[in-house]
């Protein structure tokens, strides 16, 4: 009796799905109820007919393959029909590919291949690299299922070539993360192919690449998923117990994940086969039954056939030949029409064992011959693969010799080119250094010119302010000493005349009123003279002058003005700076009185760390600070000019109905 450890070994290849990445991070949630599902379909159909609707139909159609295959097919057909009506080649290509995935789920390989090739044909017309890679990948899967392993590898290598082409990122839906996931799927499938061809070093190389990617993204489910292929490789190396331990270790993670049930069924089948090979028949039967029940629930014809064939093997092992016959009858139709030579080989081997047990040696010999023919076909494919690898190695060595010869011929030329390049680079560096020097020199000159202009402007401002203060001082002195003295003399004369004149009561009243008016005029003249050049500022300094000014404003303006000072006694200011600061505060308080509608204003002056800080805050109506740029009055301009003259900074905060705060900082020592 021929024993082949590969009998009934169930391998699952990943299909390339642009919309849903199988088993990796996200599978769309299954609809919990039929009503919810049809509500979702109605909602999608009620939207505008565009590529978004087509994409949603494809999404949903693919998601429900295992739950409602008829509705799934209907939605995918509808997506194709609408994408054709929209004349959108990207949507058309993708719709054909999704239909291929549907047919592959039900093992309809001819229809699967037709749809994948239609998808590829349309993708090529627009050079949609991402769609092309998906079509190549899925056609490679079909070639594997048909036993055309050499062709399968060719299509996979075409997929890999596109993945390595940076132009693939022209597809706006693609990111590096998604592409890495697709690469890991490709490596997983290539490992399965090389495992089938018994090229185990290559199989391990590719599954390790896939695991490296899944570990990089730290996804436990996909690592568990890929580790199943690692177990396949251990099995092919004859390490059945190690393969089984790995499968059982990761099975709970996979069962609780969103991995499709078709893959879970495959894991049950593989575990049952490995228990069988280890002669643990009871455990093998349990998992074979799990595989069959899962296959029937998801209506997988392939899974049902594989499970029944394994149960037939178990029954033959236990000499339950009538049960074995029932299991064989249940899967005979599938294996009679399947294209995969490895599956046919498994079926023929089981029939050979069955008829040998029943004593029907004629039938046993017939299926032994069929087994041998199919096995030779597989071995020829393996020999072809080996020849292809040797040929590739030969061509690689030949190219390396040609490259060495070419390097020798180009050696002298490279030296010459290197010298020329170094000369050019030296000239470029020299030119860049000269340009940089010239540029820095030009920048320094511009800065000097700008500084001179600034100094000139400050000098002009200082001259204007100095002239203004001198004129104020002169006018104040003239008013106080000249006009003030004259008015006081007139008042004194009139007062003396009052006792020598005989006047009627009315005239006496008018005379008294005139004296009062004259007295008010003298007071107003003194106030004006004082504002133009306060005597307290000259005699007692800035702190006393501002305190007097704020007290006068308290009594005469109707607005409460609070004055506070810190540190002014420790560091007295020059008279020119004191006068300028006085004018700034005077103008700010006048602005608050005229424009803010404030009832209270706070004035603070402080000197610390050689810096004078001036703060004027009011509780008025506030204003938009942007309006200062277009203000036509001279008040704000005077404030700004004086601050610039003192080389200070001014900061204004104001909000509607929240008052205004002005902060001015002036360095006292440069």
């Amino acid at each position: 009796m021929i024993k082949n450890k590969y009998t009934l070994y169930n391998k699952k290849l990943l299909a390339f799905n642009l919309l849903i990445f199988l088993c990796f991070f996200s599978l769309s949630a299954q609809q919990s109820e039929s009503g919810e599902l049809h509500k979702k379909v109605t909602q999608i159909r009620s939207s505008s007919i565009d590529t978004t609707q087509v994409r949603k139909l494809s999404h949903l159609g693919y998601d429900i393959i295992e739950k409602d295959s008829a509705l799934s097919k209907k939605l995918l057909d509808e997506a194709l029909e609408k994408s054709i009506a929209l004349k959108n080649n990207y949507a058309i290509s993708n719709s054909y590919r999704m239909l291929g995935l549907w047919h592959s789920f039900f093992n309809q390989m001819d229809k699967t291949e037709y749809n994948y090739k239609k998808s590829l044909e349309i993708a090529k017309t627009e050079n949609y690299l991402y769609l092309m890679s998906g079509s190549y990948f899925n056609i490679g899967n079909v070639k594997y299922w048909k036993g055309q392993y050499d062709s399968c590898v060719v299509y996979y290598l075409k997929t890999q070539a596109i993945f390595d082409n940076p132009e693939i990122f022209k597809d706006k839906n693609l990111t590096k993360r998604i592409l890495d996931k697709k690469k890991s799927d490709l490596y997983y499938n290539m490992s399965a192919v090389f495992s089938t061809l018994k090229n185990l070093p290559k199989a391990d190389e590719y599954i390790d690449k896939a695991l490296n990617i899944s570990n990089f993204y730290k996804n436990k489910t996909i690592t568990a998923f890929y580790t199943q292929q690692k177990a396949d490789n251990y099995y092919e190396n004859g390490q059945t117990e190690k393969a089984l331990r790995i499968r059982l270790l990761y099975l709970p993670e996979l069962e609780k994940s969103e991995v499709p049930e078709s893959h879970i069924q495959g894991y049950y089948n593989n575990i049952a086969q490995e228990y069988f090979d280890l002669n643990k028949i009871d455990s093998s039967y349990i998992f074979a039954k799990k595989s069959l029940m899962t296959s029937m629930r998801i209506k997988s014809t392939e899974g049902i056939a594989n499970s029944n064939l394994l149960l037939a093997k178990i029954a033959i092992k236990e000499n339950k030949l009538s049960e074995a016959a029932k299991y064989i009858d249940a899967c005979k139709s599938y294996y009679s029409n399947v294209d995969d030579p490895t599956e046919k080989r498994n079926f023929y081997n089981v029939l050979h064992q069955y008829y040998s047990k029943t004593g029907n040696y004629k039938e046993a010999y017939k299926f032994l011959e069929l087994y041998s023919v199919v096995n030779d076909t597989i071995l020829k494919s393996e020999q072809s693969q080996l020849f292809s690898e040797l040929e590739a190695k030969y061509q690689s060595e030949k190219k390396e010799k040609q490259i060495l010869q070419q390097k020798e011929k180009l050696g002298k030329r490279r030296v010459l080119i290197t010298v020329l390049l170094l000369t050019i680079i030296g000239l470029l560096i020299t030119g860049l250094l000269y340009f940089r020097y010239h540029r820095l020199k030009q920048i320094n000159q511009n800065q000097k010119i700008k500084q001179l202009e600034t100094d000139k402007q400050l000098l002009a401002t200082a001259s204007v302010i100095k002239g203004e203060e001198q004129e104020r001082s002169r006018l104040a002195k003239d008013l106080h000493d000249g006009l003030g003295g004259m008015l006081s003399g007139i008042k004194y004369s009139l007062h003396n005349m009052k006792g020598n004149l005989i006047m009627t009561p009315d005239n006496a009243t008018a005379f008294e009123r005139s004296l009062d008016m004259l007295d008010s005029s003298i007071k107003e003249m003194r106030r004006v003279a004082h504002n133009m050049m306060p005597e307290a500022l000259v005699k007692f300094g800035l702190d006393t002058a501002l305190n007097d000014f704020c007290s006068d404003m308290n009594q005469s303006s109707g607005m409460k003005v609070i004055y506070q000072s810190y540190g002014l006694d420790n560091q007295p200011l020059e008279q020119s700076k004191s006068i300028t600061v006085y004018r700034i505060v005077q103008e700010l308080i006048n602005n608050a009185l005229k424009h803010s509608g404030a009832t209270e204003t706070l004035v603070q002056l402080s000197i610390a760390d050689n810096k004078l800080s001036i703060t004027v805050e009011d509780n008025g109506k506030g204003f938009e600070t942007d309006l200062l740029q277009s203000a036509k009055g001279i008040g704000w301009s005077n404030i700004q000019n004086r601050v610039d003259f003192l080389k200070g900074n001014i900061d204004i905060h104001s909000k509607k109905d929240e008052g205004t705060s002005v902060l001015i900082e002036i360095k006292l020592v440069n």
Side-chain angles (χ1 to χ4, degrees):
M1 183 181 296
I2 295 175
K3 177 176 175 66
N4 187 339
K5 67 179 180 179
Y6 197 71
T7 55
L8 203 61
Y9 199 64
N10 186 25
K11 289 180 178 287
K12 289 286 182 182
L13 293 186
L14 288 180
F16 190 100
N17 188 349
L18 294 179
L19 297 175
I20 304 166
F21 181 62
L22 286 176
C23 311
F24 216 134
F25 285 99
S26 61
L27 279 168
S28 297
Q30 297 293 315
Q31 302 292 333
S32 58
E33 298 180 0
S34 177
E36 286 295 320
L37 178 58
H38 287 282
K39 181 179 178 181
K40 182 71 172 177
V41 173
T42 302
Q43 183 181 1
I44 294 173
R45 285 173 173 164
S46 65
S47 63
S48 302
I49 300 177
D50 53 17
T51 54
T52 300
Q53 189 196 69
V54 169
R55 185 174 67 254
K56 289 180 179 179
L57 289 169
S58 295
H59 265 288
L60 186 58
Y62 185 85
D63 284 351
I64 63 173
I65 290 178
E66 293 183 354
K67 181 179 180 181
D68 191 336
S69 59
L71 179 58
S72 169
K73 179 65 162 55
K74 187 175 180 181
L75 293 175
L76 294 174
D77 284 335
E78 183 179 345
L80 175 61
E81 180 182 345
K82 289 182 176 179
S83 63
I84 292 173
L86 291 169
K87 297 180 180 180
N88 186 297
N89 283 338
Y90 191 98
I92 295 170
S93 174
N94 194 51
S95 296
Y96 274 118
R97 187 185 55 76
M98 296 299 290
L99 280 168
L101 291 172
W102 189 93
H103 288 293
S104 71
F105 185 84
F106 296 101
N107 210 39
Q108 300 170 2
M109 289 300 111
D110 290 337
K111 291 182 179 179
T112 298
E113 188 171 4
Y114 167 80
N115 282 286
Y116 287 159
K117 286 186 174 179
K118 286 291 292 182
S119 174
L120 178 61
E121 175 188 337
I122 295 167
K124 282 183 174 180
T125 61
E126 302 285 350
N127 198 35
Y128 292 137
L129 291 178
Y130 190 33
L131 286 175
M132 288 167 60
S133 67
S135 298
Y136 282 134
F137 183 79
N138 289 334
I139 293 171
N141 292 347
V142 175
K143 297 300 182 184
Y144 175 86
W145 291 321
K146 289 186 175 182
Q148 300 169 10
Y149 303 121
D150 292 338
S151 297
C152 169
V153 172
V154 168
Y155 279 103
Y156 283 167
L157 291 176
K158 287 183 178 180
T159 306
Q160 189 169 11
I162 294 178
F163 284 169
D164 293 337
N165 186 349
E167 295 292 315
I168 194 173
F169 285 105
K170 286 185 176 179
D171 191 309
K172 296 180 180 179
N173 297 318
L174 183 63
T175 64
K176 183 182 182 301
R177 187 184 183 92
I178 293 174
L179 184 61
D180 283 344
K181 295 172 186 175
K182 302 304 179 186
K183 284 182 178 179
S184 63
D185 278 354
L186 174 64
Y187 298 149
Y188 173 93
N189 283 15
M190 291 185 77
S191 178
V193 174
F194 282 115
S195 180
T196 301
L197 295 173
K198 298 182 180 177
N199 188 338
L200 300 180
K202 278 286 184 184
D204 276 336
E205 175 188 335
Y206 278 103
I207 196 59
D208 287 342
K209 286 183 177 181
L211 284 168
N212 286 339
I213 294 175
S214 68
N215 289 331
F216 177 79
Y217 288 104
K218 298 179 181 179
N219 186 278
K220 292 182 180 179
T221 299
I222 196 60
T223 298
F225 179 76
Y226 286 160
T227 305
Q228 298 301 305
Q229 179 57 41
K230 192 74 173 176
D232 292 352
N233 297 344
Y234 285 131
Y235 184 89
E236 288 299 314
N237 277 303
Q239 298 175 323
T240 305
E241 288 188 7
K242 191 170 185 179
L244 181 58
R245 282 199 304 271
I246 290 176
R247 294 195 199 282
L248 293 174
L249 177 64
Y250 286 100
L251 182 62
E253 175 69 31
L254 293 165
E255 285 178 322
K256 70 182 181 181
S257 71
E258 293 182 332
V259 170
E261 287 194 274
S262 58
H263 289 273
I264 300 297
Q265 175 270 317
Y267 305 147
Y268 291 152
N269 201 76
N270 290 339
I271 293 170
Q273 175 63 48
E274 287 158 3
Y275 271 127
F276 182 87
D277 289 348
L278 294 171
N279 204 31
K280 298 180 179 180
I281 304 304
D282 291 341
S283 297
S284 177
Y285 179 80
I286 291 171
F287 278 94
K289 274 292 187 179
K290 278 189 171 185
S291 174
L292 179 60
M293 291 173 64
T294 305
S295 300
M296 294 175 69
R297 184 168 61 253
I298 64 176
K299 300 177 182 179
S300 170
T301 54
E302 177 188 6
I304 292 170
N306 289 338
S307 303
N308 277 308
L309 192 60
L310 181 52
L311 287 166
K313 280 183 65 177
I314 294 170
I316 293 169
K317 182 80 172 178
E318 295 181 322
N319 286 318
K320 299 177 181 179
L321 299 181
S322 59
E323 287 186 20
K326 291 179 182 178
Y327 289 131
I328 290 171
D329 286 341
C331 63
K332 185 182 295 183
S333 174
Y334 172 82
Y335 287 109
S336 298
N337 297 303
V338 74
D339 292 322
D340 189 339
T342 59
E343 291 194 334
K344 280 187 177 294
R345 179 177 65 179
N346 296 337
F347 181 63
Y348 294 151
N349 188 34
V350 173
L351 288 180
H352 163 70
Q353 294 177 37
Y354 171 75
Y355 285 116
S356 295
K357 283 274 189 176
T358 59
N360 190 342
Y361 298 110
K362 180 179 179 181
E363 288 295 307
Y365 180 74
K366 169 187 170 183
F367 284 105
L368 177 60
E369 283 190 321
L370 288 172
Y371 171 87
S372 298
V373 170
V374 176
N375 196 49
D376 288 344
T377 301
I378 294 173
L379 290 176
K380 285 179 182 178
S381 176
E382 292 168 7
Q383 292 169 358
S384 173
Q385 174 67 14
L386 179 61
F387 173 79
S388 297
E389 290 181 359
L390 291 173
E391 175 67 15
K393 185 176 180 181
Y394 167 77
Q395 293 293 339
S396 177
E397 292 175 351
K398 184 178 178 181
K399 287 181 179 178
E400 286 178 0
K401 290 180 181 179
Q402 292 175 346
I403 290 170
L404 287 174
Q405 292 173 356
Q406 189 69 16
K407 284 182 178 179
E408 291 175 357
K409 292 179 181 179
L410 296 176
K412 293 182 179 180
R413 185 180 298 176
R414 286 181 176 175
V415 173
L416 178 61
I417 291 172
T418 301
V419 172
L420 290 173
L421 283 174
L422 289 174
T423 303
I424 292 171
I425 291 170
L427 291 172
L428 286 173
I429 292 173
T430 303
L432 287 172
L433 289 174
Y434 176 78
F435 173 79
R436 185 171 180 273
Y437 167 77
H438 180 72
R439 181 64 177 164
L440 288 174
K441 186 177 179 181
Q442 187 178 24
I443 290 171
N444 288 333
Q445 289 176 344
N446 289 337
Q447 288 177 343
K448 287 180 180 179
I449 292 171
K450 186 175 181 181
Q451 185 63 41
L452 288 172
E453 289 176 349
T454 302
D455 292 342
K456 183 179 178 182
Q457 185 177 0
L458 288 174
L459 182 60
T461 302
S463 299
V464 170
I465 292 174
K466 185 177 180 181
E468 181 179 274
E469 293 301 331
Q470 288 176 346
E471 185 64 14
R472 282 174 176 265
S473 179
R474 185 188 65 79
L475 288 173
K477 187 175 181 181
D478 289 346
L479 285 173
H480 187 274
D481 296 342
L483 183 58
M486 290 174 64
L487 291 175
S488 295
I490 293 171
K491 177 184 177 183
Y492 180 78
S493 298
L494 290 175
H495 186 72
N496 289 334
M497 289 172 60
K498 177 181 177 183
N500 300 322
L501 292 176
I502 299 173
M503 293 178 286
T504 63
D506 291 338
N507 288 337
T509 301
F511 189 87
E512 287 292 339
R513 191 181 302 117
S514 297
L515 288 175
D516 291 339
M517 290 175 64
L518 181 60
D519 191 57
S520 296
S521 297
I522 292 170
K523 289 181 180 179
E524 180 63 17
M525 180 274 299
R526 287 178 177 171
R527 187 189 66 80
V528 172
H530 179 77
N531 284 341
M532 295 184 74
M533 181 53 66
E535 289 181 6
L537 180 63
V538 177
K539 293 180 179 179
F540 305 109
L542 178 63
D543 191 21
T544 303
L546 284 176
N547 191 33
D548 290 347
F549 174 74
C550 292
S551 297
D552 291 342
M553 293 299 294
N554 264 328
Q555 297 173 7
S556 61
S557 65
M559 177 177 69
K560 184 179 180 181
V561 181
I562 302 170
Y563 174 74
Q564 298 172 349
S565 64
Y566 308 94
L568 268 66
D569 294 333
N570 300 328
Q571 192 170 348
L573 301 179
E574 299 172 5
Q575 186 172 355
S576 60
K577 286 187 178 180
S578 296
I579 294 172
T580 304
V581 170
Y582 182 91
R583 297 302 180 200
I584 291 172
V585 174
Q586 189 180 43
E587 191 67 42
L588 288 172
I589 293 176
N590 286 333
N591 282 345
L593 181 63
K594 293 178 183 178
H595 306 297
S596 70
T599 60
E600 183 175 297
T601 299
L602 172 66
V603 180
Q604 286 184 337
L605 266 73
S606 64
I607 294 179
D609 299 327
N610 291 319
K611 181 173 68 176
L612 171 64
S613 297
I614 305 168
T615 303
V616 179
E617 295 181 351
D618 65 63
N619 62 352
K621 60 186 179 182
F623 65 98
E624 294 293 335
T625 56
D626 293 338
L627 298 177
L628 291 176
Q629 303 298 328
S630 58
K632 296 181 179 179
I634 62 172
W636 178 252
S637 177
N638 286 339
I639 294 171
Q640 187 67 59
N641 287 337
R642 286 182 167 86
V643 172
D644 291 341
F645 168 70
L646 295 174
K647 297 183 179 179
N649 298 315
I650 185 167
D651 188 21
I652 303 174
H653 293 281
S654 183
K655 287 186 179 180
K656 188 176 181 181
D657 299 325
E658 292 185 14
T660 302
S661 175
V662 180
L663 173 63
I664 299 171
E665 293 183 341
I666 300 166
K667 288 185 179 180
L668 300 180
V669 177
N670 294 323

